[in-house]
Amino acid sequence: MRLRIDLAYDGTDFRGWARQPGLRTVQGTLEAAIARILGGDPRLVVAGRTDAGVHASGQVAHLDLTEAQEHRLRLGRNPDPTALAARLNGVLGAYPDVAVHRVQVAPEGFDARFSAVWRRYSYRLADRTTGYDPLDRARTTYVNAHLDVEAMDAAARGLRGLHDFAAYCKPREEATTIRTLLEYDWHRDERGTLVANVKADAFCHSMVRALVGGCVAVGEGRLTPAHLAEIRDQLQRVNEVKVLAARGLTLAEVGYPADDLLAARAEQTRARRDDVDRASIAPVD
């Protein structure tokens, strides 16, 4: 039995998603809670592995149960897998910084990571116009300037499309930096906080925070919207684009195709990953 788990967390006191020996992580915390209920050594597969300090309101993971875990689940007081969410939240305690929204039996072919067709992030900024609010310090980055949100929005929209975003990523060996940026825009909410909406088929390491840093440079008047596209096309990181703090970043949503297309999407994504890996290690003339 494969379960789909929808969850949220405040990333402030976590060292990212992925379990690490001796460090508190979202994966490690949630797997420990699952083990208390179902036993065994559960291993979660997640849609997007967030960095230290990054939050999530719409994270998705899946869990493959062993026969023993499935048997234990069925023998519980409530054998319905959807009741597992409440049991997990009970184990996580009062006011936890990670909470499970839903647990359900995953559709045939579902893979939290490889079946996803897009991920959406939001990023929150406060500036001199809004002022610093200590109650928002864990989820909003403060910039000591008056930011031009219209210029930032224009710059963001100019970065959309299928491109190599090497200039806006922290490179990883044998990993592609080609991504399709489906949406990127900025607005001020009802309180004046600047909010970015960033949606792509996938993101490479630190990509969203670098894209935000580029737009902040535009909002401050240090760069023009055209400069951001030029930097992108140079394929090299530059000092003018800073990677902003993790606290302002939240994984908001993960998109999946219709149930009958889940398996095909996962197979397609794995094949593309294999092709990239083979190309990255092929000899170059």
Side-chain angles (χ1 to χ4, degrees), residues 38-68:
L38 299 179
D41 187 21
R43 285 292 184 268
L44 293 166
V45 175
V46 73
R49 293 175 56 174
T50 52
D51 291 337
V54 177
H55 316 298
S57 59
Q59 181 68 279
V60 181
H62 79 244
L63 172 67
D64 289 330
L65 300 182
T66 64
E67 289 185 10

Side-chain angles (χ1 to χ4, degrees), residues 120 153-165 179-186 197-200 207 211 228-229 232-233:
R120 184 191 304 278
D153 185 58
R157 293 174 185 273
L159 293 173
R160 293 174 174 178
L162 174 63
H163 301 283
D164 189 333
F165 285 93
R179 298 289 189 269
T180 301
L181 188 58
L182 299 166
E183 298 176 9
Y184 186 19
D185 52 77
W186 283 91
N197 164 57
V198 194
K199 176 182 175 182
M207 178 175 166
L211 289 172
L228 294 197
R232 177 199 64 203
D233 296 338

